[in-house]
Amino acid sequence: MAAKQGIPIYTNLSDLFGSLGVSLKHVERWHDLAAEFERRFGKKPTYISRAPGRVNLIGEHIDYALFGVLPTAIERDILIACAPRDAASSLPHHSPGSVIADNMHTKYTRQIFAPSQLSDGNASHAEAWRLDIDTKELRWESYVKAGYYGVLNHHFAPANLSDNDEIQQPVAVDLLVTGSVPAGSGLSSSAAMVVASTLAFLAVNGKLENAATASGNALLNKGDLVRISMENEKRVGVNSGGMDQAASVMSDPSSALYISFHPELKAEPVRLPPGAVFIVANSLVVSDKAVTAKRRYNLRVVETLVAARILARSLGLDVGEKARVTLRQVVGLSAGEKEGEDIGVVSLMGALKRIQQELDILKPKNQDNEDELGVTMEEMIGLTGLAPDVFYDVYLSWVEIEATHFQLYQRAAHVFGEALRVLEFRDACLEVDNLSKLGQLMNESHFSCSTLFDCSCPELDQLTHLARTAGAYGSRLTGAGWGGCTVSLVAESEVDTFIRKIRETYPPYKDLDGETLNEVIFATKPSSGACVYKVE
Ligand code: NG1
Ligand code: MG
């Protein structure tokens, strides 16, 4: 699927629904949202943007090491209805770019905010607009702001305008959000919010259609939207890879996606075998990213990057002092890979054979305290061969982490094993009658996440175990982990029995029924990627 394709803009709802590949229940939400928008703001929305959540079938915590992953967008999504606020509106806040943001969910209250323009007029300034996002406490509107921030600084910044462009002010916006992706569950509600918000603010400011006239290109291209959304999501303080945004933007209802990031972003369709159903089950443990990023997600990002540098050094690869080389790049360099080459199972296995001999370098030399497995900061810096101030600059200055020991060996071992499993899974999808093989790869992935990457939790271990006992071919955590959802591969004919067994055996599900049960355990089917509806 070409990253160069434009973002679809529909002016006709039946075309839109035809392309979505979603069920009636999800279709009704569009009408409800538009009607509620009109009720609250006294006018019809001018645009509705949509971005789906995703389930990652395999390839966990390897996107930021630039290895390929295999997710699929799901029909659960975020919709944002929006319209410019006209001067005659009875609502206050007409300053440029001010926003009144409402959410259909009663738990999320109305938020009013406005960006401030940095007035130094310096065209080379990286930040032209400021919008406060509290990274200590992630609130629903933080993700709306994250999308908006990127639109302001890409499209309303003097540095990005050519001499002939008029300096324009962003319009004041009313918006209403509705979402069916459960938050904090590893189905990437966050990326769906950021992508939908980025699209809504581009659309309402005329930047989607203007892009077509100004450059002659077909609208905004999907690759650009993934890149802007990835940058935008970092504003909330999590240094994520690009899997979620790519899945949310580039998916298509006929298949899952193999998304690769090296040497550039690419998404290839992977047809799932007939008779295979992927069932998502929520452990109901909520992983609070704002609280745990320093000790978990961001720490893993740093551990895998530092492991890459140490391995590069030990393999005698020249990567320069300042580059944050990734494990994927180390594989490419050590295998003498040609520019732009895509890696397959055989070439990755070959490269890993050589690297595996060096992996022990990542282990601590003297481990006398069992509880503190891993190298200390001092040991780690020593292994990179960098001066401490350079190390700080390259690996710590841009991210907040909290740790005394770093498990470099385990993290690198997980990343390499998982990267290989993704390619094996992709290839096995092409073979007939291969559900057991796919299931086995999923089980191995979960085991590696749990023991080497330490991103599981007792409930996820229990739920995946119960899923296997209930007849799944395989089961694993999906998304960042430490709570959230599992994904299990089940034969189509067994879906109802499977769900019933899980309901009976996973204690938090005991009292759930009907819609409440369907909220926490459900079969997924691939859905189409992000789009915009222009209300005419
Ligand atoms: P979740 O937490 O499921 O949205 C996160 C990252 C992904 C990827 C996975 C682990 C964000 C937005 N996304 O996903 O890029 O690294 O963890 O595979 O943080
Ligand atoms: Mg997320």
Side-chain angles (χ1 to χ4, degrees), residues 315-333:
L315 288 157
L317 307 171
D318 182 12
V319 294
E321 201 177 56
K322 299 272 168 170
R324 283 207 292 262
V325 65
T326 60
L327 287 167
R328 172 66 183 85
Q329 287 163 314
V330 169
V331 163
L333 289 169

Side-chain angles (χ1 to χ4, degrees), residues 128-141:
W129 293 85
R130 187 158 293 162
L131 198 56
D132 290 330
I133 301 176
D134 183 359
T135 56
K136 302 276 176 294
E137 185 203 358
L138 291 183
R139 304 167 49 91
W140 77 269
E141 77 279 9

